[in-house]
Amino acid sequence: MQFTFKYQAASWGKARRVIVCSTHTADELVPWNHAFVVTSLASEAPETLFKTYRQRGNAENQIKELKCGFGFDKTDSSTFARNTARALITGIAYNLVQLFKQLFVSEDRRSTISSLRFSLFHIAGRITWHARRVVIHLASNYVYKNWFSRLMDEVHQLAT
């Protein structure tokens, strides 16, 4: 259910259009979920505006991940060329992680680089070599052991 009304806060110079989208889910603890969009666009349909603002929010989340998860906003060097090279390498790393997520992380594509690092690389274990094979021994209490093994199998199948 969607409806539109005008609203003007005390600090605003003019009234703005407010669109409310209310969804009802029977199986959740809170049965109604309300989403609000405040906009100055008067002629757009509410469905179009909600789709546009959700995509904008998704883009902002990707920028946040690029800055926080990959350090894209760091300019530690004193020269422009070094900072540019760092930004380009960071962008390549971000794109490689996005490709990895599309190929192998089907459960939750919204997972961030921080959660992937924690679940895939913060692992207690050891690596041994047996008969020209690399064997990864993971800790017995590693929660993501099955997922890690499946990912390694998929990566190995992709390589062959």
Side-chain angles (χ1 to χ4, degrees):
M1 171 172 58
Q2 293 179 350
F3 59 94
T4 303
F5 62 92
K6 292 279 189 178
Y7 176 76
Q8 182 174 356
S11 60
W12 298 353
K14 63 179 182 175
R16 305 271 190 223
R17 180 180 177 197
V18 178
I19 304 168
V20 181
C21 179
S22 298
T23 55
H24 178 68
T25 51
D27 59 341
E28 296 205 10
L29 184 61
V30 179
W32 285 95
N33 185 17
H34 306 289
F36 300 88
V37 171
V38 179
T39 183
S40 60
L41 301 173
S43 61
E44 295 291 327
E47 298 84 13
T48 306
L49 283 173
F50 266 100
K51 185 177 179 182
T52 302
Y53 277 88
R54 281 191 184 116
Q55 289 173 347
R56 179 180 172 189
N58 188 28
E60 289 178 6
N61 287 338
Q62 290 172 343
I63 292 168
K64 181 180 175 185
E65 182 180 13
L66 188 58
K67 288 170 58 178
C68 297
F70 291 88
F72 186 75
D73 57 343
K74 295 194 186 308
T75 53
D76 298 343
S77 297
S78 60
T79 65
F80 179 76
R82 288 180 183 166
N83 288 326
T84 303
R86 180 185 174 122
L88 290 173
I89 291 169
T90 303
I92 292 168
Y94 176 79
N95 287 329
L96 287 173
V97 168
Q98 293 302 319
L99 177 64
F100 175 81
K101 285 182 356 184
Q102 285 183 351
L103 291 175
F104 302 114
V105 187
S106 59
E107 293 93 26
D108 187 8
R109 290 184 187 269
R110 295 173 297 158
S111 58
T112 63
I113 186 61
S114 299
S115 63
L116 286 174
R117 272 191 204 125
F118 181 76
S119 58
L120 293 176
F121 300 121
H122 290 173
I123 305 170
R126 60 188 165 89
I127 298 175
T128 58
W129 288 265
H130 295 288
R132 297 184 192 152
R133 268 181 74 185
V134 176
V135 179
I136 301 173
H137 302 276
L138 300 174
S140 60
N141 61 347
Y142 177 50
V143 177
Y144 303 105
K145 190 175 196 175
N146 294 334
W147 184 51
F148 183 84
S149 298
R150 195 181 78 243
L151 283 175
M152 291 300 291
D153 290 341
E154 290 178 13
V155 169
H156 182 71
Q157 288 175 0
L158 187 66
T160 56

